[in-house]
């Protein structure tokens, strides 16, 4: 999956596609519950939102049951993400939750309020490290106070877990991108035993790579933890029924088997059966077979993303974190954007990439607007707004890919945005007016082009392997940059007007304004003073924006302006900037196609890592007055079966509105892994 996380809630895209032309009819959004509360609370740098499931009651009973079973399968794997993120996460979560439920003392004290804040941040991040930066959360309460809480509630917590909470430098970073360090030893994620080194990992998979088909390679390491055997040699502990994490996988398989009974078509049933077989055996060849079968189901209304998929949390890009998204296809809205997938060959042919790095024939691309029914694992509470799968390059080349935009999620982000924040950083009234007119559409088009065209484009030279293997800790950043640059280059292409997806290049110009502004300024409000840029999507955006700024300096393509003590960035020549984006795309695709690690390192380290301290301080000060958290995530709808004589007759939807209550409910119902 190539995630596109929301850049800013205030500029999130709308849920359905519509034309810029006022005379053309719009696609009506679904009926909503009156006074539906989207924003429920805000703490630290996080806002908690809710989303609705449009047209749920229009589904058949079998479709509702399918969505319900798939959602339960996802929640059965919730513990997996905690376990994968850090080895002490489950122990800490269970202990703190027991305190939270059981403590009857003074809950008005400052330290209790800090304890509440800490546990909410832990729930949001699926562990004690920040969901985006990877920095360890700092408790605002003391170790002495926690000791009192543990004693008064009869709760046990190991000394090392307590050390993990309070000792700042102990397992401080979930994923280290510092190329000067041993990336495995410097990272706290739980994909490797603590005594494993980066060199041992690289040597292990160098040998494994020689044993697999180079033309159709399996995703080595995707579903395992690397450990040291009794003989001292490194080996894989595979996630499977009867293997590592069997308790979660057994429950997951139970719900997936029930889903096969109500599958909408033979292709969907076949894919589900292959997914079950994969979880039973851990066989990565079966995972590939599953992905190919999953791609063949293009008619089902209910669809899903499920498994160990994204490798962002592994500094070497092998291991997938568990995630689950259950979705219902919006047939009407999907039809409006089908034109992009239908014209995929146009974009590939007319890309600025070198001829030898283009695909001769683009196959099997599908794109849908969907409404989320439920999310779990790494997809919740923080969620993407766009997805493109599968990740295996050879499957994408031979069988195609599926891309989705999460319509109801994007709509909720839009409603839960921050009025005035974008205006604060706009250079002039023209930029502001274009933002109001084109903001939703340009954001949506960028997402669509990024997911549908960007991630599906380009060709990797034979024998290079995946970008996350060849480019190591820079692979994810480069891949996101590649997809963004495809979107940026083509969003100013008059062909989009001809296709009918926009009626004016001002729509593309607004996206350029928004991207430069976000890459150089706005996203800095997500970083603590003194820190560098660590997260892949943020590194990607800063790299592109800062690199473009430098490339256009001679012609003042992008101008940095100071007015009334405030900094603004103004684009003086949009067409020249498009040429710059095209040149960047050519180089990024070359790095990807050739597996040029040194080229990736030089580019990202030069433009994407360091922060202008003075500008950072200014951005934080300007954003502070809006009192809006830069990150958002969701309380999930609750699907409730209605039964008569032991038979399900309907599935009702409830919309909980308290984050802590849902987290405790999930822990009570879906704690599948033992604390070790």
């Amino acid at each position: 999956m190539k995630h596109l996380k929301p850049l800013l809630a205030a500029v999130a895209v709308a849920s359905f596609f519509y034309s810029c032309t006022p005379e053309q009819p719009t696609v009506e959004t679904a009926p909503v519950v009156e006074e539906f509360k989207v924003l429920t609370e805000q703490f630290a740098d996080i806002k908690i939102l809710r989303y609705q499931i449009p047209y749920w009651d229009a589904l058949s009973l079998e479709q509702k049951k399918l969505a319900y079973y798939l959602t339960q399968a996802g929640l059965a794997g919730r513990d997996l993400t905690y376990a994968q993120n850090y080895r002490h996460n489950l122990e800490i979560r269970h202990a703190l939750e027991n305190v939270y439920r059981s403590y009857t003392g003074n809950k008005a004290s400052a330290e209790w309020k800090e304890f509440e804040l800490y546990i909410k941040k832990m729930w949001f991040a699926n562990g004690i490290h920040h969901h985006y930066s990877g920095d360890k959360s700092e408790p605002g309460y003391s170790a002495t106070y926690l000791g009192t809480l543990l004693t008064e509630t009869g709760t046990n917590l190991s000394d090392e877990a307590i050390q993990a909470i309070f000792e700042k430098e102990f397992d401080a970073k979930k994923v280290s991108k510092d190329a000067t360090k041993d990336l495995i030893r410097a990272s706290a994620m739980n994909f490797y035993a603590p005594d494993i080194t980066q060199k041992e990992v690289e040597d292990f998979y160098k040998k494994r790579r020689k044993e697999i088909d180079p033309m159709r390679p399996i995703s080595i390491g995707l579903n395992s933890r690397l450990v040291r055997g009794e003989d001292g040699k490194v080996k894989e502990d595979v996630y499977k029924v009867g293997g590592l994490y069997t308790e979660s996988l057994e429950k997951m398989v139970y719900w997936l088997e029930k889903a096969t009974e109500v599958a909408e078509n033979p292709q969907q049933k076949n894919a589900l059966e292959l997914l079950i077989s994969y979880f039973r055996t851990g066989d990565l060849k079966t995972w590939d077979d599953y992905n190919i079968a999953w791609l063949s189901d293009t008619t089902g209304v209910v669809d899903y993303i499920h498994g160990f998929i994204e490798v962002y949390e592994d500094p070497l890009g092998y291991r997938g974190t568990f995630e689950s998204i259950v979705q219902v296809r919006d047939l009407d809205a999907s039809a409006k954007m089908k034109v992009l997938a239908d014209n995929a060959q146009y974009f590939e042919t007319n890309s600025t990439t070198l001829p030898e790095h283009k695909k001769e024939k683009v196959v099997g691309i599908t794109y849908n607007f969907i409404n989320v029914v439920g999310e779990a694992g790494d997809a919740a509470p923080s969620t993407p707004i766009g997805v493109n799968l599968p990740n295996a390059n050879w499957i994408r080349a031979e069988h195609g890919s599926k891309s989705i935009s999460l319509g109801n999620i994007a709509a909720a982000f839009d409603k839960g945005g921050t009025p005035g924040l974008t205006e604060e950083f706009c250079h002039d009234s023209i930029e502001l007016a274009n933002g109001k007119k084109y903001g939703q559409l340009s954001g949506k088009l960028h997402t669509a082009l990024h997911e549908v065209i960007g991630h599906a484009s380009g060709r990797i030279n034979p024998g290079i392997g995946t970008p996350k293997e060849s480019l190591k800790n820079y692979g994810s950043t480069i891949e996101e940059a590649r997809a963004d640059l495809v979107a940026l280059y083509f969003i100013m292409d008059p062909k989009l007007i001809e296709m009918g997806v926009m009626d004016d290049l001002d729509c593309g110009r607004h996206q350029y304004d928004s991207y430069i502004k976000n890459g150089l300024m706005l996203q800095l409000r997500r970083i603590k003073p003194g820190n560098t840029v660590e997260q892949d999507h943020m590194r990607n955006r800063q790299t592109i924006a800062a690199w473009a700024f430098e490339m256009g300096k001679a012609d003042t393509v992008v101008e940095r302006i100071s007015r009334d003590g405030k900094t603004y960035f103004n684009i003086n020549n949009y067409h020249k900037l498009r040429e710059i984006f095209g040149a960047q795309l050519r180089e990024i695709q070359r790095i990807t196609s050739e597996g040029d690690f040194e080229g990736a390192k030089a580019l990202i380290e030069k433009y994407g890592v360091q922060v202008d301290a003075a500008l950072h301080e200014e951005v934080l000060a300007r954003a502070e007055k809006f009192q809006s958290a830069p990150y958002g995530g969701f309380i999930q709808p609750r699907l409730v079966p209605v039964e008569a004589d032991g038979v399900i007759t309907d599935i009702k939807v409830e919309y909980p509105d308290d984050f802590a209550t849902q987290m405790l409910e999930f822990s009570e119902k879906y704690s599948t892994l033992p604390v070790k």
Side-chain angles (χ1 to χ4, degrees):
M1 177 191 301
K2 309 302 192 296
H3 274 181
L4 187 64
K5 291 279 188 180
L7 309 187
L8 286 172
V11 293
V13 298
S15 61
F16 298 105
F17 173 78
Y18 59 91
S19 171
C20 290
T21 310
E23 290 76 19
Q24 291 184 340
T26 62
V27 176
E28 295 296 332
T29 56
V32 297
V33 178
E34 193 162 340
E35 302 298 331
F36 183 82
K37 181 172 64 173
V38 173
L39 177 62
T40 64
E41 66 175 307
Q42 185 168 298
F43 52 85
D45 56 356
I46 295 162
K47 62 179 68 174
I48 300 297
L49 310 170
R50 300 193 304 163
Y51 65 89
Q52 295 172 274
I53 309 173
Y55 302 117
W56 174 259
D57 288 334
L59 299 177
S60 70
L61 176 59
E62 297 297 279
Q63 289 171 329
K64 289 180 180 179
K65 288 164 69 175
L66 176 60
Y68 171 70
Y69 295 147
L70 291 170
T71 301
Q72 296 301 298
L75 289 169
R78 178 175 179 260
D79 273 5
L80 286 170
T81 305
Y82 277 86
Q84 291 178 308
N85 281 343
Y86 182 50
R87 66 188 183 278
H88 290 301
N89 273 340
L90 285 175
E91 179 188 1
I92 291 171
R93 193 193 80 198
H94 281 288
L96 298 192
E97 285 175 345
N98 189 61
V99 169
Y100 193 82
R101 291 189 191 97
S102 308
Y103 182 62
T104 58
N106 181 10
K107 294 186 178 181
S109 71
E111 284 204 295
W112 176 260
K113 296 299 181 185
E114 289 293 338
F115 174 82
E116 283 188 308
L117 176 62
Y118 184 86
I119 196 172
K120 285 183 178 182
K121 290 192 293 184
M122 179 197 68
W123 283 326
F124 192 86
N126 295 310
I128 66 171
H129 295 84
H130 192 276
H131 75 286
Y132 212 75
S133 71
D135 294 329
K136 194 164 63 174
S137 294
E138 296 181 16
Y141 56 93
S142 67
T144 300
Y145 180 70
L146 179 59
T148 300
L149 295 178
L150 295 173
T151 299
E152 292 188 14
T153 58
T155 305
N156 295 318
L157 192 58
S158 70
D159 290 342
E160 188 168 278
I162 293 173
Q163 181 184 13
I165 294 173
F166 292 102
E167 188 175 313
K168 188 174 182 179
E169 299 304 318
F170 182 76
D171 292 337
K173 196 79 177 174
K174 182 169 69 172
V175 182
S176 175
K177 299 294 178 67
D178 187 343
T180 67
K181 298 179 179 179
D182 181 309
L183 296 176
I184 299 302
R185 300 298 293 271
S187 300
M189 47 75 224
N190 192 28
F191 291 130
Y192 303 91
D195 64 340
I196 301 291
T197 68
Q198 180 177 345
K199 185 178 186 304
E200 286 180 304
V201 177
E202 291 173 341
D203 289 347
F204 182 84
Y205 286 110
K206 184 178 181 180
K207 181 179 179 181
R208 284 290 311 277
R209 201 171 291 113
K210 293 178 181 178
E211 301 169 355
I212 62 177
D213 183 352
M215 302 307 295
R216 294 182 177 84
I218 59 172
S219 300
I220 51 176
L222 187 71
N223 64 334
S224 66
R225 184 172 184 262
L226 214 59
V227 299
R228 196 177 303 282
E230 292 182 1
D231 59 359
K233 295 181 179 180
V234 172
K235 67 174 187 177
E236 288 183 327
D237 199 354
V238 178
Y239 314 153
K240 63 178 180 178
V241 173
L244 186 58
Y245 303 140
T246 183
E247 300 89 349
S248 290
L249 290 164
E250 288 169 20
K251 295 282 179 60
M252 202 182 295
V253 164
Y254 168 81
W255 289 110
L256 290 173
E257 286 179 332
K258 294 185 77 65
T260 64
E261 299 171 4
V262 289
E264 295 181 83
N265 55 60
Q267 293 88 351
Q268 190 178 69
K269 182 176 182 180
N270 179 46
L272 285 167
E273 289 173 342
L274 283 167
L275 183 60
I276 291 167
S277 176
Y278 164 62
F279 287 142
R280 288 191 181 281
T281 64
D283 182 4
L284 287 168
K285 173 61 169 61
T286 304
W287 172 247
D288 286 345
D289 293 341
Y290 157 73
N291 277 286
I292 294 168
W294 176 75
L295 284 171
S296 72
D297 174 23
T298 59
T299 61
V301 172
V302 178
D303 205 354
Y304 60 96
I305 290 160
H306 194 96
F308 307 102
I309 299 172
E310 286 304 333
V311 297
Y312 294 109
E313 304 304 329
D314 181 349
L316 297 185
Y318 289 106
R319 305 187 136 68
T321 307
F322 175 75
E323 64 180 290
S324 176
I325 303 174
V326 181
Q327 63 217 34
V328 177
R329 200 152 56 105
D330 186 296
L331 301 177
D332 195 15
S334 297
K336 300 293 183 181
M337 272 292 195
K338 185 174 180 292
V339 65
L340 292 180
D342 290 345
N343 283 275
Q345 191 63 56
Y346 166 85
F347 296 109
E348 185 76 1
T349 301
N350 290 279
S351 170
T352 58
T353 55
L354 296 171
E356 59 267 32
H357 298 153
K358 296 179 191 285
K359 288 180 178 176
E360 293 182 7
K361 185 177 181 181
V362 181
V363 300
I365 291 179
T366 63
Y367 179 56
N368 286 301
F369 271 85
I370 61 93
N371 291 309
V372 172
V373 174
E375 298 178 304
D378 196 43
S382 178
T383 171
I385 56 173
V387 177
N388 178 274
L389 283 176
N391 281 338
N393 288 301
W394 73 267
I395 296 180
R396 300 161 71 82
E398 294 184 19
H399 301 277
S401 62
K402 283 184 181 180
S403 297
I404 59 171
S405 287
L406 283 60
N408 54 344
I409 293 292
F413 271 123
D414 189 46
K415 291 174 184 175
T418 307
L421 180 65
T422 303
E423 289 86 337
E424 168 65 28
F425 291 89
C426 280
H427 167 252
D428 55 29
S429 59
I430 296 175
E431 183 181 335
L432 181 59
N434 278 343
K436 290 181 178 178
K437 184 175 182 181
Y438 298 111
Q440 292 182 346
L441 179 60
S442 71
K444 185 175 347 188
L445 280 174
H446 180 92
T447 301
L449 288 166
H450 174 109
E451 298 293 348
V452 183
I453 306 302
H455 284 308
S457 67
R459 188 178 70 85
I460 295 177
N461 294 356
I464 294 299
T466 69
K468 291 167 186 175
E469 288 178 292
S470 61
L471 305 180
K472 301 178 184 178
N473 49 308
Y474 302 106
S476 294
T477 301
I478 290 292
E479 176 57 23
E480 292 305 317
R482 193 176 72 90
D484 262 0
L485 285 165
V486 169
L488 289 167
Y489 182 74
F490 283 109
I491 205 166
M492 279 287 285
D493 190 337
K495 181 73 172 180
L496 295 186
I497 299 174
E498 181 184 324
M499 291 178 184
V501 297
M502 68 182 192
D503 68 359
D504 196 314
L505 288 181
D506 279 346
C507 186
R509 292 185 182 97
H510 167 69
Q511 187 58 28
Y512 281 19
D513 288 333
S514 177
Y515 198 93
I516 292 294
K517 182 169 53 189
N518 189 48
L520 293 178
M521 284 197 301
L522 266 173
Q523 71 171 9
L524 294 179
R525 69 194 190 94
R526 295 182 162 191
I527 301 174
K528 294 179 180 179
N531 284 8
T532 58
V533 182
E534 289 283 341
Q535 206 276 339
D536 290 309
H537 296 82
M538 293 179 67
R539 281 188 169 190
N540 145 47
R541 292 191 289 268
Q542 180 169 294
T543 296
I544 291 173
W547 186 18
F549 180 76
E550 182 174 293
M551 289 176 71
K553 261 187 176 179
D555 299 318
T556 323
V557 175
V558 180
E559 183 179 10
R560 179 169 173 165
I561 296 170
S562 181
R563 186 174 65 244
D564 300 327
K566 296 180 178 181
T567 302
Y568 301 90
F569 287 90
N570 184 55
I571 300 172
N572 292 314
N573 191 327
Y574 291 92
H575 290 288
K576 184 66 176 178
L577 182 56
R578 185 186 185 222
E579 292 176 6
I580 288 172
F581 287 146
Q584 290 180 338
L585 173 59
R586 183 164 50 251
E587 175 61 7
I588 291 291
Q589 183 62 60
R590 184 201 66 77
I591 287 172
T592 301
S593 296
E594 298 177 2
D596 182 2
F597 173 79
E598 292 300 327
K601 177 181 177 180
L603 192 63
I604 302 306
E605 291 294 338
K606 181 176 181 179
Y607 296 109
V609 177
Q610 300 304 316
V611 175
D612 181 327
L615 183 59
H616 189 195
E617 183 180 359
E618 177 194 329
V619 169
L620 292 175
R622 290 167 69 180
E624 185 178 13
K625 65 184 179 182
F626 296 98
Q627 298 182 336
S628 175
Y631 301 104
F634 290 89
I635 298 171
Q636 301 298 315
R638 183 188 296 119
L639 303 185
V640 182
V642 178
E643 295 187 5
D645 299 324
V647 177
I648 295 177
T649 59
D650 197 7
I651 308 284
K652 296 294 185 182
V653 178
E654 297 176 354
Y655 295 105
D657 61 4
D658 186 81
F659 179 60
T661 299
Q662 179 164 89
M663 293 297 98
L664 293 172
E665 175 188 318
F666 281 175
S667 290
E668 290 171 0
K669 294 179 65 176
Y670 305 108
S671 286
T672 52
L673 290 180
V675 176
K676 297 179 180 179

